[in-house]
Amino acid sequence: MNYLVPLLVATPLVGALACLFVKYRFIHLCGLGFLLSLGPMAALVWPDTLVSGARQYELGLGIIPLQIPLVNDGLGVLFTSLNVLISLLAGAYAVYYFQPCKPRQIRRFWTLWLLVTAANNGIYLGENLFSIYLFIEMLGLSAVGLISLSLTPQAIQSALRYLIAGLIGSLSFLVGLAVLHWHYQTLSLIHLQPIVQSDPQTIAAVGLMSTGLLLKTALFPLHFWLPEAHSQAPAPVSAFLSAVAIKTTFFLLLKLWSETFSSILNPNPGLIIGGLASLAIVWGSLQAIQQDRLKLVIAYSTIAQVGYLFLVFPLFTQSFPISQDLAIQADAWRACVYLALSHAVAKSSMFMAAGAITYFFKTDQIERLSGISKLFPLTMFSFALAGASLMGVPPSGGFVGKWYLLSAFIQSGQWLWIIPAVLGGLLSGIYVFRILNTFFLKGSAKRELGLNKKPPGVHVLEIPAFALAVLSMLLGFRAAEIFQLLEVGLPVPLQLESSPLGGSE
């Protein structure tokens, strides 16, 4: 199995190159074929990691004299599996979605799509911060091309805003890397963890790197680029950006704060992040409630859900009694990972559902879509399931994540953070039910928009959204397997006892 981990990065890179030269009539087959080949690889790496533990690998680049170090720890394998799944389902969705597009646009899509898939896998499995930086740049530049795929003025403007934010974030991260390498002469995550010290150089490096990653993750108030970028991009691209792209930089922040630099961080940065996260939850939810476009509602909802991911960070920077420390750290990890997973699958489902509606009605103005539930029952059901996961309704993955989030705050005695966590769930219910209420009203949208019967081929767009919505619910029952994988390479044992849905873990 030694070759599978490098292949998870190398295969989509080769696929991107192949899509540049393959004949157009084979372009969809080529793109989907390379994505399909990643599925068995991810499926085999998961049990191999459980049995053999985390190991180091090297990705060789052929004629380029550079070996990229990789490691298959549990967290990286889990997020890689998520990336492969959503890339494949959104790619299958895109085959039908991009039918009206020009051949050149479709070729560009598949090339960039495989590049972002490779970049994400490279970050999740990366062991060296410089190689991770290279993959971050590949991800950012490819995402700019995907956002501007339609070449409309609005899409190009959104892509440029995304590019500027990405470049500023990358520059901050790179300067932090330079300071870190100058001080320690290494950028290996494994080598850094035991030798980092709480000195001005290290604190400056961590601050610069974290600021750059926070900008790329769009934590309030660094979110200015996200709403337009996610709402103007084509539906499969929006699904991928919201579900996976921003999780990539969050994943890296999680590793840096809770593993590599956990021993030197004091409570103040964590409290600042927690405060910004609380504002993100409330502000993003209130903005989502006020929007009149479906994709903008989902985009602003992402800002709120990003806040949930960072609400746990105060727990990573504070010391607790030894009898409580492991339990608090374990619940913090559970909350971070489950909230990230559940948001990824639920939000990608919502964007795909919105994309199906927009594809056939040519609008995502909510008020103009009243009464469309009879034409798109599966789409409406998918949107409702995904929305329930965002609200934290049992037995969804979102419920599990929020359960462990509240548990960690209660055990640590930090009751204040519970307020934005609960308030965000209530506010998300408002904008989800507002949309569903409009869709199920008796209205004249079908006649106004010129669609009086169920369009042919709609199931091709509905099924991927439905599959992800169902998965957002099934995640609530699969905590044991996910937490078992997370223990591989984790510095703090999870010490699992029982899940909130019952049953031994």
Side-chain angles (χ1 to χ4, degrees):
M1 298 291 181
N2 290 345
Y3 57 89
L4 286 179
V5 172
L7 278 179
L8 282 168
V9 182
T11 300
L13 285 175
V14 174
L17 186 64
C19 286
L20 287 175
F21 300 103
V22 71
K23 291 184 178 180
Y24 174 71
R25 65 175 178 270
F26 300 120
I27 190 71
H28 290 306
L29 184 63
C30 179
L32 279 177
F34 277 97
L35 289 177
L36 281 169
S37 68
L38 293 175
M41 295 181 199
L44 290 172
V45 166
W46 188 307
D48 182 59
T49 301
L50 288 173
V51 173
S52 304
R55 289 175 292 180
Q56 287 188 264
Y57 303 87
E58 284 192 346
L59 172 65
L61 296 180
I63 60 173
I64 303 175
L66 178 65
Q67 299 293 320
I68 297 177
L70 306 172
V71 63
N72 64 322
D73 64 339
L75 186 65
V77 170
L78 179 63
F79 275 78
T80 299
S81 302
L82 173 71
N83 179 47
V84 169
L85 174 66
I86 293 181
S87 294
L88 177 58
L89 288 176
Y93 178 100
V95 172
Y96 188 91
Y97 186 88
F98 285 120
Q99 273 187 338
C101 295
K102 298 177 181 178
R104 186 168 58 181
Q105 287 178 295
I106 295 174
R107 185 182 297 277
R108 188 185 306 147
F109 164 79
W110 278 114
T111 302
L112 296 173
W113 193 254
L114 287 163
L115 283 177
V116 296
T117 302
N120 279 318
N121 286 348
I123 296 168
Y124 295 144
L125 300 171
E127 190 277 326
N128 183 278
L129 283 171
F130 183 70
S131 63
I132 289 173
Y133 164 76
L134 295 178
F135 283 121
I136 288 175
E137 289 303 287
M138 182 190 298
L139 169 63
L141 294 175
S142 300
V144 169
L146 288 170
I147 293 170
S148 62
L149 205 61
S150 64
L151 297 180
T152 63
Q154 295 88 346
I156 293 174
Q157 183 179 7
S158 300
L160 287 175
R161 184 177 298 178
Y162 182 96
L163 176 62
I164 292 170
L167 290 176
I168 295 172
S170 295
L171 179 61
S172 179
F173 185 78
L174 183 59
V175 173
L177 288 190
V179 174
L180 204 62
H181 186 268
W182 168 75
H183 192 48
Y184 292 105
Q185 302 302 308
T186 182
L187 290 175
S188 166
L189 291 172
I190 294 174
H191 295 157
L192 278 171
Q193 187 169 341
I195 64 173
V196 292
Q197 299 175 356
S198 184
D199 50 45
Q201 296 91 332
T202 305
I203 297 301
V206 175
L208 286 166
M209 293 163 61
S210 297
T211 301
L213 293 174
L214 288 171
L215 177 57
K216 286 177 173 288
T217 313
L219 178 64
F220 180 94
L222 305 175
H223 64 281
F224 62 90
W225 57 267
L226 186 146
E228 289 301 320
H230 286 197
S231 63
Q232 291 296 334
V237 177
S238 298
F240 184 82
L241 290 176
S242 183
V244 181
I246 61 173
K247 302 300 184 302
T248 302
T249 45
F250 167 76
F251 164 90
L252 188 52
L253 274 166
L254 178 61
K255 292 199 73 170
L256 294 178
W257 278 55
S258 64
E259 295 183 25
T260 309
F261 301 111
S262 60
S263 61
I264 67 168
L265 293 174
N266 64 55
N268 292 331
L271 293 174
I272 293 172
I273 295 296
L276 294 177
S278 300
L279 291 173
I281 292 171
V282 177
W283 189 88
S285 298
L286 290 175
Q287 289 297 313
I289 292 171
Q290 299 176 49
Q291 302 307 309
D292 57 3
R293 283 184 51 212
L294 182 57
K295 290 187 72 175
L296 268 178
V297 171
I298 304 171
Y300 276 104
S301 168
T302 298
I303 295 172
Q305 299 303 317
V306 165
Y308 274 106
L309 302 183
F310 286 102
L311 200 58
V312 187
F313 273 51
L315 300 178
F316 292 139
T317 58
Q318 298 197 37
S319 298
F320 303 99
I322 296 176
S323 59
Q324 295 180 325
D325 189 66
L326 285 179
I328 294 171
Q329 293 287 345
D331 280 350
W333 262 83
R334 292 184 181 108
C336 270
V337 172
Y338 244 85
L339 287 171
L341 289 178
S342 61
H343 174 259
V345 294
K347 194 52 65 74
S348 58
S349 174
M350 294 177 88
F351 267 118
M352 289 184 192
I357 295 169
T358 306
Y359 183 89
F360 292 106
F361 282 112
K362 309 303 179 187
T363 182
D364 68 341
Q365 292 289 329
I366 297 173
E367 295 303 322
R368 299 190 66 196
L369 298 172
S370 59
I372 67 168
S373 58
K374 291 184 179 180
L375 289 181
F376 297 94
L378 193 59
T379 296
M380 297 302 101
F381 186 56
S382 302
F383 194 94
L385 283 181
S389 183
L390 293 186
M391 289 184 283
V393 175
S396 66
F399 166 74
V400 175
K402 291 183 180 180
W403 174 281
Y404 284 120
L405 180 69
L406 298 178
S407 174
F409 289 142
I410 291 171
Q411 290 182 75
S412 65
Q414 299 190 32
W415 298 86
L416 187 62
W417 302 116
I418 295 177
I419 297 174
V422 174
L423 182 59
L426 297 175
L427 291 175
S428 62
I430 293 176
Y431 59 74
V432 169
F433 282 113
R434 172 201 167 206
I435 293 171
L436 292 175
N437 180 59
T438 302
F439 288 166
F440 283 94
L441 284 175
K442 290 184 178 180
S444 57
K446 293 183 290 184
R447 290 193 304 272
E448 284 183 27
L449 301 172
L451 195 63
N452 295 310
K453 63 179 181 179
K454 196 176 184 72
V458 67
H459 290 303
V460 180
L461 299 182
E462 287 185 316
I463 291 174
F466 176 71
L468 288 167
V470 171
L471 180 59
S472 72
M473 287 290 158
L474 294 180
L475 279 174
F477 298 98
R478 308 317 308 174
E481 292 86 346
I482 291 174
F483 292 150
Q484 184 183 12
L485 179 65
L486 274 179
E487 286 194 58
V488 179
L490 187 65
V492 179
L494 291 181
Q495 295 187 337
L496 305 177
E497 296 175 358
S498 60
S499 74
L501 298 180
S504 173
E505 293 184 11

